Amino acid sequence: MQPLQLSRMRYNEKLPISSLGIALVMLMSLAAITSSCTEQEKASLLKFLTGLSQDGGLAASWRNGTDCCTWEGITCSMDGTVTDVSLASKGLQGYISPTVGSLAGLLRLNLSNNMLSSGLPQELVSSGSIIAIDISFNRLDGELHEMPSSTPVRPLKVLNISSNLFAGQFPSSTWGAMKDLVALNASNNSFTGQLPTHFCTSFPSLVVLELSYNRFRGSIPPELGSCSMLRVLKVGHNNLSGTLPDELFNATSLEFLSFPRSGLQGILEDTYIAKLTFLVTLDLGENNFSGKIPEFIGHLKRLEELYLNSNIMYGELPSTLANCTNLITINLNCNNFSGQLTKVNFSSLPNLMSLDLMRNNFDGTIPESIYSCRKLIALRLSSNKFHGQLAKGLGNLKSLSFLSLYNNNLTNITDALQILGSSKNLSTLLIGRNFRHETMPEDDTIGSFENIRFLGISDCPLFGKIPFWISKIANLEILILSNNQLTGSIPAWIKALSYVFYLDISNNSLTGEIPTTLTDMPMLESAKTDANSNQRVFILPVYPTLSHQYRQPFAFPKLLDLSNNKFTGEIPSTIGQLKSLRSLNLSFNNLTGQIPESTCNLTSLQVLDLSNNNLTGAIPAALDSLHFLAAFNVSDNDLEGPIPSGGQFNTFGTSSFDGNTKLCGSMLIHKCGSAEAPPVNVLTTKQTDYKVAFVIAFSTFFGVGVLYDQIVLSRYFG
Ligand SMILES: *[C@@H]1O[C@H](CO)[C@@H](O)[C@H](O)[C@H]1NC(C)=O
Ligand SMILES: *[C@@H]1O[C@H](CO)[C@@H](O)[C@H](O)[C@H]1NC(C)=O
Ligand SMILES: *[C@@H]1O[C@H](CO)[C@@H](O)[C@H](O)[C@H]1NC(C)=O
Ligand SMILES: *[C@@H]1O[C@H](CO)[C@@H](O)[C@H](O)[C@H]1NC(C)=O
Ligand SMILES: *[C@@H]1O[C@H](CO)[C@@H](O)[C@H](O)[C@H]1NC(C)=O
Ligand SMILES: *[C@@H]1O[C@H](CO)[C@@H](O)[C@H](O)[C@H]1NC(C)=O
Ligand SMILES: *[C@@H]1O[C@H](CO)[C@@H](O)[C@H](O)[C@H]1NC(C)=O
Ligand SMILES: *[C@@H]1O[C@H](CO)[C@@H](O)[C@H](O)[C@H]1NC(C)=O
Ligand SMILES: *[C@@H]1O[C@H](CO)[C@@H](O)[C@H](O)[C@H]1NC(C)=O
Ligand SMILES: *[C@@H]1O[C@H](CO)[C@@H](O)[C@H](O)[C@H]1NC(C)=O
Ligand SMILES: *[C@@H]1O[C@H](CO)[C@@H](O)[C@H](O)[C@H]1NC(C)=O
Ligand SMILES: *[C@@H]1O[C@H](CO)[C@@H](O)[C@H](O)[C@H]1NC(C)=O
């Protein structure tokens, strides 16, 4: 953002505010009262209006009989020349008339964020007056055309054509007439071919070059190194290959060097990286860079953001990282870094707000110096080999909101939770797969987690009971205690957790009946979601599986998973109250009795697993009304009678019903005899087809298939 303001300042500076001064300006403004735009300008603008199929109400002010300097979105200079056409976000549709290019005094054209289609008229780019064109966020398409080599030098400084549908190769050096181009933003289009080599020979003043989210191929042209003014270079999300050319490091004005997810490889070399002393952002995430972080990184004193995530880098973090004292964000997740973190003195990074080291090979204890980064908001050390106890100092991190220590070898959960209790701003706390074979503390000194919304303590395994202190986490939304060895029953206070919509207590040794209080949980009962949680995003994305990430709490489905425990008794008929559940898993328990008829009320269900219990009686025929059901399993029970045959039931294989010798159905070996004929299926074939088609369409468009996988596979929380 900074360089953009600078570039704007640049051309303001050059505006001809005469040294003769204010008196002259005042004289001119008096003159302005009488001067109006010319008939020719008016005609050009009216032509533009004619090209619009939706004018967003412009026609009301753009009337032929009036001075066009008074029209909406039009600005004139003091002598009545049209200088600005500013029509961003007006809901315009249609095409851009080339006549706009004939407005002889036009300086700035801003049509950003409309729905304009068709091409970009050459007349605009090659206008003899325009210095800034912003047509970003439209639906413009076609190619950018070459220019006649005879084109005289053009004054254009800013060209933003980002977020459109432009395609084809980027024009070659024939755009050399743009000697003054300062900022070119062509991101988020479909440009193909090699990155042009001529950028800085053609545009010697280039400060901003943004080409990310396109389909550029090939390697990074070494010629970019001659861009001596370049401060912003963003080319991520393309299909490039090769490495960062040595010459690129000659572009020593660079502040933003950003090539995320663009197919690059190679190693970062000490002597080269050290040349970019103005770097503020270095983003090389999601590539195939290898090697170590160079010692000379410490020369980048202005560095604020370092992204090297998802590469194949290794080795220890250099202690010189602590010389980058302006660092705000460090993301090194998903690499093979190792060794002790204690080498880096985090105390000298007082501005650090986010540190993500997930999925590396770091070991040793968590260095206490991290706890002096008082501004830290997000700390993720999950899936490393840290051991030892958390230190008291962690409680100093009053701003800490996201903490994931999942999958390390930490010890003393009682102490950990007591320390974390003083981090009052914690909202996501993931500490599972640590504290092996310890006991869940029931201690009353734990329990001032007033802001926690997502608590994950899975996979330890921990002994003990579902602890009472959880009942005091008033804002809790997602609770995961799966894969422990907790005993006892589900406490009655559970329904007091009035915002919980995702409850996974599977694979423990819990006993007793499924309490009806569980079927009173407000968030599972009603379709409403907490309005705020719809908007909220996780500070760092969380990973329900190794390859998926959720950016918002709301991405979690409403879920109740009690599977793999020792629950007994019948499924309460009040289960039908949990109308907004998307996944219900009661499998691998010792439940008896019938499948309650009220299960048919759970019309949002996508996953229903009641397998491996001792359920008896018939499968309620009305379950065929669960139109979104993508997975259904009642295998290994003692059910009897016909399998419902309408709706989604036509899509389930026999494995959903295995191990129930008394069930019958057309798809089973055991056909239903006429004596025990199923209740007549009231659906006509046509309706059935419609429903199947609907569900397939729904799955395709709303990714239910993916969601289903995630519900089933949700076992990883980094
Ligand atoms: C605008 O008015 C002028 C003069 O009255 C006329 O010549 C011209 O055709 C009009 N333009 C349009 C687009 O109606
Ligand atoms: C165009 O207008 C939009 C919305 O006001 C603004 O964000 C953008 O910076 C403008 N473009 C230029 C080049 O000034
Ligand atoms: C388009 O890019 C220019 C130059 O980088 C910038 O000034 C302008 O704000 C951008 N427009 C939008 C809508 O972001
Ligand atoms: C380029 O345009 C995109 C919008 O399409 C915007 O998000 C980005 O900030 C712009 N980049 C620069 C450097 O102006
Ligand atoms: C790309 O453009 C589309 C359509 O304008 C927009 O919805 C999307 O947010 C843009 N993506 C980026 C990364 O700017
Ligand atoms: C640019 O970089 C190359 C390779 O690193 C080097 O040989 C050359 O001398 C540099 N050119 C300038 C002008 O600095
Ligand atoms: C990661 O580094 C360790 C040594 O620290 C090495 O044994 C292992 O093979 C490396 N893994 C990969 C995938 O490179
Ligand atoms: C770490 O840095 C802090 C602040 O820069 C300094 O006070 C402290 O002495 C350093 N610690 C070590 C072990 O170098
Ligand atoms: C705690 O978080 C809230 C927003 O979630 C923020 O406004 C507040 O400043 C934070 N408190 C501290 C001490 O950082
Ligand atoms: C965890 O630490 C204990 C000792 O503190 C050690 O015996 C054990 O092997 C470690 N486990 C792993 C998976 O590193
Ligand atoms: C846990 O930590 C506390 C406080 O440091 C200590 O008193 C206690 O002995 C530790 N427990 C175990 C089992 O190490
Ligand atoms: C159940 O949890 C234990 C740890 O308590 C784990 O070893 C086992 O793999 C888990 N079983 C399933 C099916 O996830």
Side-chain angles (χ1 to χ4, degrees):
M1 280 154 277
Q2 232 167 356
L4 303 188
Q5 283 168 355
L6 286 169
S7 66
R8 204 175 297 138
M9 268 164 54
R10 233 160 217 293
Y11 51 76
N12 283 347
E13 276 163 20
K14 290 190 187 168
L15 282 180
I17 295 190
S18 149
S19 54
L20 275 180
I22 299 161
L24 183 58
V25 172
M26 284 180 69
L27 271 178
M28 286 167 74
S29 58
L30 281 175
I33 295 168
T34 49
S35 58
S36 62
C37 71
T38 64
E39 284 304 314
Q40 200 195 344
E41 287 173 320
K42 203 185 280 186
S44 298
L45 289 170
L46 288 174
K47 204 63 179 269
F48 170 77
L49 188 62
T50 316
L52 301 178
S53 53
Q54 276 296 333
D55 67 14
L58 278 190
S61 94
W62 287 33
R63 283 176 292 115
N64 194 0
T66 58
D67 175 8
C68 75
C69 292
T70 65
W71 293 358
E72 182 179 352
I74 305 298
T75 308
C76 294
S77 64
M78 284 170 251
D79 65 355
T81 308
V82 174
T83 57
D84 288 78
V85 175
S86 308
L87 297 170
S89 310
K90 297 281 186 204
L92 307 182
Q93 293 180 30
Y95 67 92
I96 304 174
S97 165
T99 58
V100 178
S102 59
L103 292 165
L106 187 63
L107 296 175
R108 285 166 292 263
L109 174 65
N110 194 340
L111 300 174
S112 171
N113 201 20
N114 285 292
M115 287 173 278
L116 297 165
S117 49
S118 186
L120 169 64
Q122 190 70 12
E123 288 80 353
L124 296 182
V125 186
S126 60
S127 143
S129 65
I130 301 183
I131 57 172
I133 299 176
D134 189 345
I135 50 163
S136 58
F137 293 100
N138 279 284
R139 295 173 188 164
L140 297 162
D141 59 15
E143 302 198 6
L144 298 184
H145 299 291
E146 303 286 343
M147 263 178 224
S149 50
S150 57
T151 313
V153 172
R154 303 282 79 173
L156 192 66
K157 293 186 176 188
V158 175
L159 180 61
N160 190 343
I161 56 171
S162 63
S163 297
N164 278 288
L165 305 169
F166 291 111
Q169 304 237 0
F170 214 78
S172 72
S173 52
T174 64
W175 272 39
M178 308 306 175
K179 286 275 176 282
D180 291 334
L181 201 65
V182 171
L184 174 60
N185 190 345
S187 65
N188 201 11
N189 281 287
S190 298
F191 287 112
T192 53
Q194 306 261 336
L195 290 172
T197 55
H198 63 85
F199 279 116
C200 293
T201 40
S202 302
F203 317 134
S205 313
L206 202 60
V207 172
V208 173
L209 179 59
E210 162 124 39
L211 303 171
S212 31
Y213 294 98
N214 278 289
R215 298 184 196 152
F216 286 111
R217 282 180 287 107
S219 50
I220 301 172
E223 289 85 349
L224 280 177
S226 64
C227 298
S228 58
M229 313 277 275
L230 198 62
R231 289 192 227 150
V232 180
L233 178 59
K234 296 186 177 180
V235 197
H237 299 266
N238 280 290
N239 304 325
L240 305 177
S241 54
T243 188
L244 298 176
D246 295 347
E247 290 80 0
L248 185 61
F249 298 92
N250 289 348
T252 51
S253 301
L254 277 175
E255 293 170 13
F256 295 80
L257 181 60
S258 174
F259 282 90
R261 201 174 214 164
S262 40
L264 301 176
Q265 56 179 37
I267 60 173
L268 300 179
E269 287 197 52
D270 258 344
T271 45
Y272 290 125
I273 198 81
K275 290 163 83 175
L276 302 182
T277 49
F278 290 106
L279 269 193
V280 173
T281 296
L282 178 60
D283 185 354
L284 303 175
E286 300 180 72
N287 284 291
N288 281 312
F289 284 100
S290 55
K292 302 184 177 184
I293 296 184
E295 293 279 337
F296 283 24
I297 191 108
H299 288 61
L300 309 183
K301 303 273 191 239
R302 301 192 182 188
L303 199 62
E304 293 178 5
E305 297 181 299
L306 177 63
Y307 296 92
L308 298 172
N309 53 298
S310 298
N311 281 289
I312 45 177
M313 299 182 72
Y314 55 85
E316 299 195 331
L317 298 191
S319 58
T320 52
L321 192 60
N323 297 344
C324 308
T325 52
N326 286 305
L327 275 169
I328 295 171
T329 303
I330 301 176
N331 184 351
L332 306 178
N333 75 34
C334 305
N335 278 285
N336 197 12
F337 292 114
S338 58
Q340 305 226 348
L341 273 188
T342 35
K343 276 189 76 175
V344 181
N345 184 356
F346 287 91
S347 310
S348 38
L349 307 179
N351 296 316
L352 197 62
M353 294 173 82
S354 178
L355 176 62
D356 188 353
L357 305 179
M358 173 176 76
R359 287 192 224 160
N360 279 289
N361 268 317
F362 290 113
D363 55 25
T365 54
I366 300 172
E368 299 227 16
S369 68
I370 289 183
Y371 307 142
S372 58
C373 303
R374 298 296 167 92
K375 294 189 182 164
L376 211 55
I377 291 175
L379 176 61
R380 172 152 58 192
L381 304 175
S382 57
S383 297
N384 280 287
K385 292 176 178 159
F386 292 109
H387 65 80
Q389 294 191 196
L390 295 186
K392 288 268 178 296
L394 183 50
N396 296 339
L397 301 179
K398 301 293 182 207
S399 301
L400 194 65
S401 173
F402 184 107
L403 177 64
S404 175
L405 304 171
Y406 182 83
N407 194 16
N408 279 289
N409 199 4
L410 302 171
T411 50
N412 204 338
I413 189 173
T414 307
D415 192 43
L417 288 168
Q418 279 170 354
I419 289 170
L420 290 168
S422 17
S423 290
K424 298 290 182 200
N425 248 19
L426 269 182
S427 81
T428 298
L429 178 60
L430 308 174
I431 54 174
R433 199 162 286 194
N434 283 294
F435 315 113
R436 288 178 180 81
H437 303 292
E438 295 186 18
T439 300
M440 178 70 90
E442 286 181 61
D443 206 309
D444 268 352
T445 62
I446 295 167
S448 39
F449 292 121
E450 52 244 48
N451 285 308
I452 289 198
R453 293 170 192 273
F454 184 179
L455 177 63
I457 315 181
S458 58
D459 311 278
C460 292
L462 292 175
F463 302 103
K465 296 190 162 35
I466 299 179
F468 182 69
W469 55 263
I470 290 182
S471 71
K472 295 186 280 183
I473 311 180
N475 288 313
L476 197 61
E477 293 174 344
I478 301 171
L479 177 60
I480 304 178
L481 300 173
S482 55
N483 303 335
N484 283 300
Q485 289 178 15
L486 301 176
T487 52
S489 52
I490 298 179
W493 50 252
I494 198 88
K495 74 168 182 190
L497 297 174
S498 45
Y499 294 109
V500 168
F501 66 86
Y502 187 105
L503 178 62
D504 183 357
I505 51 175
S506 64
N507 194 18
N508 279 286
S509 298
L510 299 167
T511 51
E513 302 202 348
I514 297 174
T516 52
T517 164
L518 197 58
T519 63
D520 285 333
M521 295 190 67
M523 275 299 147
L524 298 181
E525 264 182 25
S526 69
K528 79 175 155 80
T529 43
D530 177 16
N532 296 324
S533 86
N534 280 342
Q535 313 288 323
R536 239 174 320 107
V537 293
F538 290 120
I539 293 173
L540 297 176
V542 300
Y543 291 79
T545 71
L546 276 169
S547 53
H548 288 103
Q549 49 172 276
Y550 285 166
R551 297 191 168 273
Q552 292 182 287
F554 189 57
F556 280 86
K558 292 194 171 188
L559 172 144
L560 184 57
D561 192 343
L562 311 183
S563 64
N564 279 286
N565 278 290
K566 295 175 177 166
F567 292 116
T568 51
E570 302 197 355
I571 302 173
S573 65
T574 50
I575 196 92
Q577 290 167 198
L578 302 181
K579 286 200 172 51
S580 58
L581 261 193
R582 286 211 267 168
S583 178
L584 175 62
N585 192 344
L586 305 177
S587 65
F588 291 93
N589 280 293
N590 299 316
L591 300 171
T592 52
Q594 305 211 351
I595 299 175
E597 197 66 36
S598 65
T599 313
C600 311
N601 297 338
L602 305 180
T603 50
S604 304
L605 273 189
Q606 292 171 10
V607 177
L608 176 58
D609 192 346
L610 305 175
S611 64
N612 289 280
N613 280 291
N614 300 316
L615 299 171
T616 52
I619 302 175
L623 281 180
D624 71 1
S625 61
L626 303 183
H627 303 317
F628 299 129
L629 208 55
F632 178 76
N633 195 348
V634 290
S635 62
D636 296 301
N637 278 289
D638 196 16
L639 298 166
E640 62 186 57
I643 290 170
S645 63
Q648 285 300 91
F649 276 81
N650 296 348
T651 65
F652 304 132
T654 57
S655 61
S656 296
F657 308 98
D658 282 348
N660 292 280
T661 49
K662 288 178 267 178
L663 276 183
C664 67
S666 54
M667 87 259 270
L668 301 185
I669 298 168
H670 183 192
K671 304 280 182 283
C672 301
S674 51
E676 49 185 73
V680 179
N681 191 329
V682 291
L683 287 176
T684 66
T685 322
K686 231 179 171 177
Q687 280 172 315
T688 313
D689 285 348
Y690 164 75
K691 283 185 176 173
V692 173
F694 176 77
V695 169
I696 291 171
F698 184 89
S699 315
T700 312
F701 286 113
F702 297 93
V704 174
V706 176
L707 177 65
Y708 161 65
D709 285 349
Q710 290 174 28
I711 292 174
V712 172
L713 298 176
S714 287
R715 278 293 177 261
Y716 178 89
F717 283 100

